[in-house]
Each structure stands twice: as structure tokens, then as C-alpha cells.
């Protein structure tokens, strides 16, 4: 397949939508329009008011690169953007000088100064959108909100609405070839989530054993939003050029090598879960989960092998 | 400071895609349907012969269309942003600046003098946001 087809396939996989020229006014910030929408405070009447989030290509690249640069450590940052009806639009993101080992409460005090300064600078340079949410990374353990995250988000939603929480897993992104990102909003205190019709059939992800309890206890305090990505026509042209130049490197990379360590870790996790399941059926590990997890790992590895074989046949010659 | 004294000009400039996206985004916001020029700062590292540009940020810049000698670039802004980016990633230093051209202009030399305060040998990368030819839309220059 030539580079144009590959690009189209990638865009289809990741749900990237180029904007038509009329839509490009999403990049312009209309302060009055925003204030009008927010004055009505629709989130008070309907806790699930915001259903969708659209992330611009630059915000996505910045967040993923920041998450990846953290390696095994959680990183966090803020997102700038606005709301359009029931959709939240994320236009930019920036990193905060905070490390995941500190407790979150203290970290906020230090980064408040940074945040205020950064925002002032942005206004001067022509970026007027306010903060619309925060993002952080869960390297290797999936996109969901931990207990502390849920509390932070509930606090944010009390005082800084509209606010969004995004979680990125840079390790799974590398391994699956698709950006592993989740966007969430928490329910206000006391709100009991109706057992939603959206079961975890398409939101499935395996959570490591040591975090599974944290995940389970808080899972009904927040809901996921649908995520879409967009880019402008200029972004499009740029990406076409970059793709044309770099398709060789992308093609020659093998996911087996890049993710070798991570795949091994996943298999160890799986082995542990199987052990627990066979010894003590009361623990919160179901056979369904184990099967799905092993399917996922097997699929990724066999994809790696298959693409390797194809490349050898096409380019190897022997 | 070690690493900043270079005897000869580096001969290669590597620009990360994030920088290109940032510049396009900046252009979209500020100057899309105008003839204004956008200017910003490039951050990265100099490694021997190569300048590795990994990040960038926009700066408020004004110039007089009719008189190219009249221009204004906010120094304080550059200082503050540099400090902030240092906190997030200390290895990224100011290595140069960019504008969207598409061609070089007479005031570029003077603007370059300004950036010499931050780094002895700033690189100028002209990024064409409306490219008409195939290939990557960047050109890099040393004074």
C-alpha cells in the first residue's frame, strides 16, 4: 500500500477527522459565546451533560509525548479549550512541573504559580482559551481514575466547571499502535450511577492485580466520554509531508522489539491471575477476564509476527 | 558553560514534528487570514554537528508592514517562558527562533542579534505554513 493509503488507514483506526474550512473557526476563541454557554450551568441539571470530547492534533501529540517522556513515572498537565454544546473541545495542553511520587494535594500548591504564569503568557501570545481540564498518565496500567484521581476530579468539578479528566497510558499506546486515552467526568457526590447500558464490552481493558481493587471500588463514581480527534487543513498538509518522509522508519520498526519488555510484564500478570483463579475462586478475577486478556496479548504478538513475515517476503527476497 | 561554545556552525538541524504542529497551530490562531508574520522560540539541544529542535513556543511579535526596521518582540515574555519550560524539562535550551516567512526579511538579522543574548549561535528556521512544493516546508539558517 502506498503512503496515502497507509495514512488513511491510520486515520480510520484512530478516528481522526479533518475539519472542513467552515469548522476551522473552532480554533478561534469567542469569549462572549463561551460565557453565555457557561452561564446556564447545564451540568448541574444533568450530570452526564457532556458526552463527547474532541481533541486537537497538537494537544494529543503534546500529551502523549509528555506521558511517554515520563517513562514509568506518572506525569500530569493541564488542557486548554472550550465547550461547544455537549462537546468539550481540547485545543492545547501543557505540562506541569510535578512528579507522580508526591501526594496530589501538595503538588497543586507548587504548580498553581506555574499555571497562573503560563496562562498569562498564553493570553499575551494570542491563546485565550481557559483551562478545561487536566491530564495525567498511568504508564502500563490502563486508562481509568484511581481513588485519589476521583476525589481530585470531584473537587475540580465542584469549583472549576466545566472540567475534564484525561488519562493516557503511554506503554499501551506503544504496544497497541493506537493511542490509549480515556476521558472522564465524575458524578457529583451522592449521585448513584444507573447501571449504564454501556457495559464494558468495548471499553474492556485489563487492570493489573495490584490496582484492581482501587479500580473496582471507584468505577461507578465517574463516566467515560466519547473521544474524537480533529486537525486543521494545514495540519493535514503537514502530516502528509511528514508521513511521506518517515514511512520507511515506521514500516521498519517492529512492535515485538519495541514492546518486548512490556509484553513480558503482561504475561507475568496474566500468569499470576490464572494462579489466583485456579486456587481461590472467590477473588475478583473472573474466567471471562482472563480469557479476554490472553486473547488481547496473543493478538498483539501474532500481529507483530505476521507483519514481520510480510515485510520479509516483500523486501527480503529470500 | 560547557556545551554552548561551538567553534564552527553546526551543519544539520533536526526538527521534531511537534514543533511543526505548534507553529501551524500558532499561525492558525493569530495570523491565518492576515499578512502578519508569526515569530517564536525554538528549544532543544546542540549535539556536536547537529541541532536537535524538540519544542517551541510562540512569542508576541509586531512589525510595521511598510517599514521593516520597525519591530517589537517581548523580551520579558521570552525570559519567563524559558524559565517555565526549564522546570518541566531542563535539557531543552533555547537554540534559536522561527518565523513563517515564507522568505527571509531584512529585520531578521536584527532579531537574530536579540537572540544572541540567550545563545551564542541561534539558528533561524523558516517554516512555510502554506507550502506549494513537495518536501518538508522548513529551511534553516545561521548568521
Amino acid at each position: 500500500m502506498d503512503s496515502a493509503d497507509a495514512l488513511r488507514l491510520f486515520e480510520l483506526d484512530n478516528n481522526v477527522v479533518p475539519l472542513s474550512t467552515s469548522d476551522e473557526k473552532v480554533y478561534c476563541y469567542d469569549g462572549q459565546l463561551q460565557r453565555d454557554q457557561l452561564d446556564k450551568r447545564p451540568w448541574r441539571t444533568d450530570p452526564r451533560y457532556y458526552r463527547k470530547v474532541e481533541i486537537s492534533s497538537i494537544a494529543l501529540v503534546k500529551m502523549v509525548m509528555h506521558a511517554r517522556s515520563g517513562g514509568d513515572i506518572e506525569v500530569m498537565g493541564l488542557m486548554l479549550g472550550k465547550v461547544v454544546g455537549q462537546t468539550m473541545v481540547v485545543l492545547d495542553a501543557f505540562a506541569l512541573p510535578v512528579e507522580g511520587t508526591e501526594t496530589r494535594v501538595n503538588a497543586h500548591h507548587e504548580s498553581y504559580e506555574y499555571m497562573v504564569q503560563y496562562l498569562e503568557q498564553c493570553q499575551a501570545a494570542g491563546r485565550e482559551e481557559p483551562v478545561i481540564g487536566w491530564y495525567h498518565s498511568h504508564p502500563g496500567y490502563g486508562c481509568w481514575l484511581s481513588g485519589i484521581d476521583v476525589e481530585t476530579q470531584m473537587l475540580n468539578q465542584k469549583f472549576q466547571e466545566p472540567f475534564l479528566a484525561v488519562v493516557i497510558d503511554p506503554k499501551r499506546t506503544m504496544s497497541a499502535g493506537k493511542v490509549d486515552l480515556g476521558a472522564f467526568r465524575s458524578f457529583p457526590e451522592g449521585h448513584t450511577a444507573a447501571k449504564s447500558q454501556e457495559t464494558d464490552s468495548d471499553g474492556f481493558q485489563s487492570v493489573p492485580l495490584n490496582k484492581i481493587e482501587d479500580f473496582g471500588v471507584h468505577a461507578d463514581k465517574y463516566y467515560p466520554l466519547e473521544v474524537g480527534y480533529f486537525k486543521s487543513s494545514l495540519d493535514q498538509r503537514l502530516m502528509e509531508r511528514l508521513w511521506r518522509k518517515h514511512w520507511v522508519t515506521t514500516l521498519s520498526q517492529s512492535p515485538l522489539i519495541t514492546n518486548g519488555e512490556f509484553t513480558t510484564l503482561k504475561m507475568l500478570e496474566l500468569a499470576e491471575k490464572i494462579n489466583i483463579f485456579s486456587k481461590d475462586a472467590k477473588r475478583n478475577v473472573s474466567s471471562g477476564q482472563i480469557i479476554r486478556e490472553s486473547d488481547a496479548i496473543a493478538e498483539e504478538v501474532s500481529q507483530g509476527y505476521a507483519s514481520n513475515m510480510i515485510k520479509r517476503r516483500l523486501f527480503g527476497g529470500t | 558553560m560547557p556545551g554552548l561554545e561551538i567553534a564552527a556552525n553546526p551543519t544539520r538541524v533536526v526538527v521534531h514534528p511537534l514543533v511543526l504542529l505548534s507553529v501551524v497551530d500558532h499561525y492558525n490562531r493569530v495570523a491565518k487570514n492576515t499578512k502578519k508574520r508569526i515569530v517564536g522560540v525554538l528549544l532543544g539541544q546542540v549535539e556536536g554537528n547537529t541541532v536537535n529542535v524538540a519544542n517551541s513556543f510562540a512569542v508576541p511579535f509586531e512589525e510595521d508592514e511598510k517599514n521593516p526596521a520597525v519591530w517589537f518582540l517581548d523580551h520579558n515574555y521570552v525570559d519567563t517562558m524559558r524559565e517555565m519550560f526549564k522546570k518541566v524539562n531542563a535539557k531543552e535550551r533555547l537554540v534559536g527562533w522561527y518565523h513563517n516567512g515564507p522568505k527571509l526579511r531584512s529585520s531578521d538579522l536584527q532579531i537574530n542579534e536579540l537572540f544572541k543574548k540567550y545563545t551564542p549561535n541561534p539558528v533561524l528556521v523558516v517554516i512555510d505554513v502554506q507550502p506549494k512544493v513537495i518536501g518538508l516546508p522548513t529551511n534553516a539558517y545561521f548568521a
Side-chain angles (χ1 to χ4, degrees), chain A residues 21 24 27-28 56-58 61-62 65-66 91-92 95-97 113-115 117-129 232-235 237-239 241-242 244-246, chain B residues 15-18 20-30 32 54-56 58-60 74 76-81 83-85 87-88 127 129-137:
Chain A
T21 30
E24 288 199 356
Y27 284 100
C28 307
S56 80
S57 44
I58 188 160
V61 170
K62 280 194 188 173
M65 287 198 48
H66 183 213
L91 288 164
D92 197 5
L96 285 177
E113 236 190 74
Y114 184 97
M115 204 163 76
Q117 224 181 13
Y118 191 94
L119 289 175
E120 275 174 19
Q121 303 274 60
C122 284
Q123 297 268 350
R127 179 175 285 299
E128 296 156 32
E129 291 86 15
S232 70
S233 57
L234 289 177
D235 283 345
R237 276 196 241 167
L238 194 69
M239 300 225 214
R241 284 179 163 68
L242 283 171
R244 225 175 291 195
K245 184 142 199 269
H246 293 288
Chain B
V15 177
H16 289 222
L18 175 61
L20 297 176
L21 276 180
S22 301
V23 174
V24 168
D25 176 70
H26 180 198
Y27 177 72
N28 255 343
R29 272 181 285 127
V30 171
K32 180 130 194 217
N55 206 347
S56 64
V59 298
D74 196 343
N76 286 334
Y77 189 95
V78 176
D79 281 327
T80 337
M81 279 298 241
E83 284 306 309
M84 293 209 285
F85 271 99
K87 279 196 213 167
V88 181
I127 299 176
V129 286
Q130 316 262 29
K132 293 170 193 61
V133 290
I134 312 265
L136 288 179

